[in-house]
Structures are given as C-alpha cells and as structure tokens.
Amino acid sequence: MPFYEHVYLARQDASAQQVEELTAQLKGVVEGLGGTVAKTEYWGVKSLSYRLRKNRKAHFTLMNIDAPPPAINEIERLERLNEEVLRYLTIRVEEPEAGPSAMMRRAERDRDRDERRGDRFDRGDRLDRGDRGDRPPRDRERRPRDESSDGANTGTEE
C-alpha cells in the first residue's frame, strides 16, 4: 500500500480535545478501510499567512498513513463535509519519515534554545554597568558656549 502524509487545519475556535476526536475519527475510517495510521502529531495552534474563512489561526495536525487510495478519498470527503476543517493536504511519499517531523524538531530546537538562553530579565550585568575602570569621571557641568563659534549670524555685518 502507498504511504501518505496528511495535514489538516482545524478552526481556532475548536478545542484541542475536539481536534483529537476528529483525528481519532479519521484514524478509525482509515483502519476500517484496510489502512493504518503510523503516526499522528498535533502541532498546536499556529498563525496563518492569510485569513481562511475569517480565521487568522488554526490547529495543525499531521498523520502518516499507510492505506489504499479509497481510504484517502474517504477521509478527504469527510473533511470537506466537516465545518471545523479549514484546509487539508495529502501527499504521497515513498516511505514514511522516521522520528519526529520537521515541525516537531523545530519546536524542540526552539525549546532547547530558550533553555540555554535563560531568563533574559535575570541578567543584571546589562542593567548596571558598574565601575568603568580607569576612565576619568565626567564633568557634569556644562561649559559656557562660545558665542562667536556657534555659526549663527549676529546681524551685524562689517
């Protein structure tokens, strides 16, 4: 049987539990028609590049499917009928991707970067510079301006 990667976008109004139930329903349809769902990944709510049916965000879900083409046709038909689904995309692949998808790897990389960086407001060295070393103290008094060097025309011409 061919392998497919199937991604669908659900409305932002739907709860994560409703999205999980929809994923379980689609998985049941695939298994009922003789296929298997190797992996499902919920990517969370993400911003869209442009509005889709008045939605600026959507729940993203990936499914790696090993199923005959009629099973894919059926889940796409069900998604067209479901008002919660904004878009879907199914791509046939040679073999399913082992391990986490690129989106999940990106999320892990971002989490690791944030852990390494630490809390940005906990860095006292940026707020107070302390002693400036061998620099002489600044003279806080302003020097009087030399009126002849300010470049202004005094109104008297010679």
Side-chain angles (χ1 to χ4, degrees), residues 93-158:
V93 293
E94 293 298 320
E95 60 184 55
E97 184 175 347
S101 66
M103 290 295 286
M104 295 304 280
R105 286 192 305 262
R106 177 177 164 218
E108 290 173 9
R109 183 185 69 224
D110 292 346
R111 238 187 332 270
D112 292 344
R113 183 189 67 221
D114 291 343
E115 288 174 4
R116 282 193 313 268
R117 202 179 274 173
D119 189 14
R120 299 191 117 197
F121 298 108
D122 194 25
R123 300 176 78 175
D125 61 333
R126 295 208 176 186
L127 298 176
D128 181 27
R129 293 185 178 192
D131 187 24
R132 294 296 236 33
D134 59 346
R135 257 180 147 180
R138 286 179 63 183
D139 185 21
R140 294 288 178 188
E141 295 180 20
R142 292 193 72 130
R143 290 182 289 176
R145 272 182 130 170
D146 185 15
E147 293 180 13
S148 63
S149 65
D150 66 356
N153 191 354
T154 59
T156 59
E157 293 189 27
E158 297 177 40

Side-chain angles (χ1 to χ4, degrees), residues 7-17 19-20 23 40-48 56-62 86 101 103-104 106-107 111:
V7 178
Y8 72 90
L9 283 60
R11 292 171 29 139
Q12 66 185 8
D13 301 345
S15 67
Q17 182 181 4
V19 175
E20 292 293 327
T23 302
T40 60
E41 289 181 356
Y42 174 67
W43 292 343
V45 178
K46 301 213 175 284
S47 296
L48 301 172
R56 294 192 179 274
K57 294 184 177 187
H59 295 270
F60 285 64
T61 305
L62 167 77
L86 298 173
S101 66
M103 290 295 286
M104 295 304 280
R106 177 177 164 218
R111 238 187 332 270

Side-chain angles (χ1 to χ4, degrees), residues 5-9 43 59-63 79 85 87-91:
E5 285 186 358
H6 180 78
V7 178
Y8 72 90
L9 283 60
W43 292 343
H59 295 270
F60 285 64
T61 305
L62 167 77
M63 300 169 66
E79 288 173 336
V85 177
R87 288 278 200 278
Y88 61 87
L89 177 67
T90 306
I91 299 173

